Amino acid sequence: MYLSYLLVFNQEGGVNVKNYSVRQYGMFVIALVITAVFLFPIYWMITTSIKPIQDVFATPPMIFPETIQFDAYRKNIIEDQSILLYLKNSFIIAIGTSLLTLLLALPAAYAMARFKLKGSAVFLLILLVTQMIPGIMTAMPLFILFSKLDLLNSYAALIIGNTTLALPFAILIMRPFFLSVPKGLEDAAVIDGCNRFTAFVRVVLPLTKPTLLTVGTFSFLFAWGDLIFALTLATDEKIRPLTLGLTKFIGQYGTEWDGLMAVSTIAAAPIIILFIFLQKYIVSGITAGSEK
């Protein structure tokens, strides 16, 4: 960000370096260092996946790979089709969780923002408390419930389980946005002939695009990285997501690091791509209701 302020083209086509203070240069350097620290694990994961196995255990560690190969990707994508099955399951579960979360969070957040409901403050407190409860504490009750409903080893069980974690977050994010939307817009739509539902669909809902993308993205992320519910509610290999596929590389006598890092790179790629293309909407969605 600061780099754009440091270099400015003059009228003759040259480059002038502005006389910024030492503090601003220091902040820029600190920002670069922090960025490098956060990105280094991703770099190490990718480089480990393309190193020969002997280079993975080299001493001292090889920061820059001398030999690049893609045997781990070929082995785990082309030869071993189970990884592709895990990947498909993860997409089904994550997309299903996002859709179900949005379907339930929209009316709940809108009702809490527009209507004076008894006990709404207590309900908000409950939502905040549920964010502090570890997923492992809800996994066993859900296992007992789904076993009685014959839902174990199904996409529905994993989608519902992940929705229980994503839904409180979604309501807490969406409610402030609805509070920031002027109620007069809906009143004007009602005067023009809309009822309360059509006013919500035609007037309010189109304004919620950034918030919907934010909630949908984070719900997708929660489900994509889930391991607790996948380990508890799915014992069938045909239903298990990619997070459980990663555990197959960790054995009793060692870890297959090149394969583990290759599949981890594949697992991280959709999340990275999602945030690259939707970062503008995600940031605006998070800050949309900051006025209230």
Side-chain angles (χ1 to χ4, degrees), residues 63-76:
I63 303 298
F64 303 102
E66 295 181 355
T67 304
I68 296 177
Q69 65 178 27
F70 297 92
D71 292 349
Y73 291 92
R74 176 182 53 80
K75 177 182 177 182
N76 293 287

Side-chain angles (χ1 to χ4, degrees), residues 130-251:
T130 57
Q131 295 292 289
M132 307 175 192
I133 299 176
I136 189 65
M137 294 184 65
T138 61
M140 188 53 64
L142 287 176
F143 175 83
I144 297 173
L145 175 63
F146 290 155
S147 63
K148 293 182 179 180
L149 297 177
D150 198 22
L151 285 177
L152 293 178
N153 291 319
S154 67
Y155 292 127
L158 294 173
I159 290 173
I160 294 173
N162 286 296
T163 302
T164 60
L165 297 181
L167 187 58
F169 169 83
I171 296 175
L172 292 173
I173 289 293
M174 298 179 74
R175 177 180 172 271
F177 175 80
F178 287 127
L179 287 173
S180 67
V181 176
K183 194 173 182 297
L185 294 177
E186 299 169 70
D187 295 336
V190 172
I191 293 174
D192 290 339
C194 293
N195 55 36
R196 184 64 65 178
F197 177 76
T198 55
F200 170 76
V201 173
R202 296 182 180 182
V203 178
V204 179
L205 197 57
L207 300 175
T208 63
K209 180 181 178 181
T211 306
L212 290 178
L213 288 173
T214 301
V215 171
T217 301
F218 278 98
S219 301
F220 183 95
L221 179 61
F222 290 158
W224 187 267
D226 169 65
L227 178 64
I228 298 300
F229 292 129
L231 194 62
T232 307
L233 305 177
T235 57
D236 189 349
E237 288 289 327
K238 297 180 180 179
I239 304 297
R240 288 187 163 185
L242 191 57
T243 48
L244 278 182
L246 294 173
T247 61
K248 66 183 294 186
F249 298 100
I250 304 173

Side-chain angles (χ1 to χ4, degrees), residues 89-103 155 158-160 162-163 219-220 223:
N89 293 338
S90 290
F91 272 111
I92 293 174
I93 295 166
I95 293 173
T97 299
S98 296
L99 294 177
L100 182 59
T101 300
L102 290 173
L103 183 64
Y155 292 127
L158 294 173
I159 290 173
I160 294 173
N162 286 296
T163 302
S219 301
F220 183 95

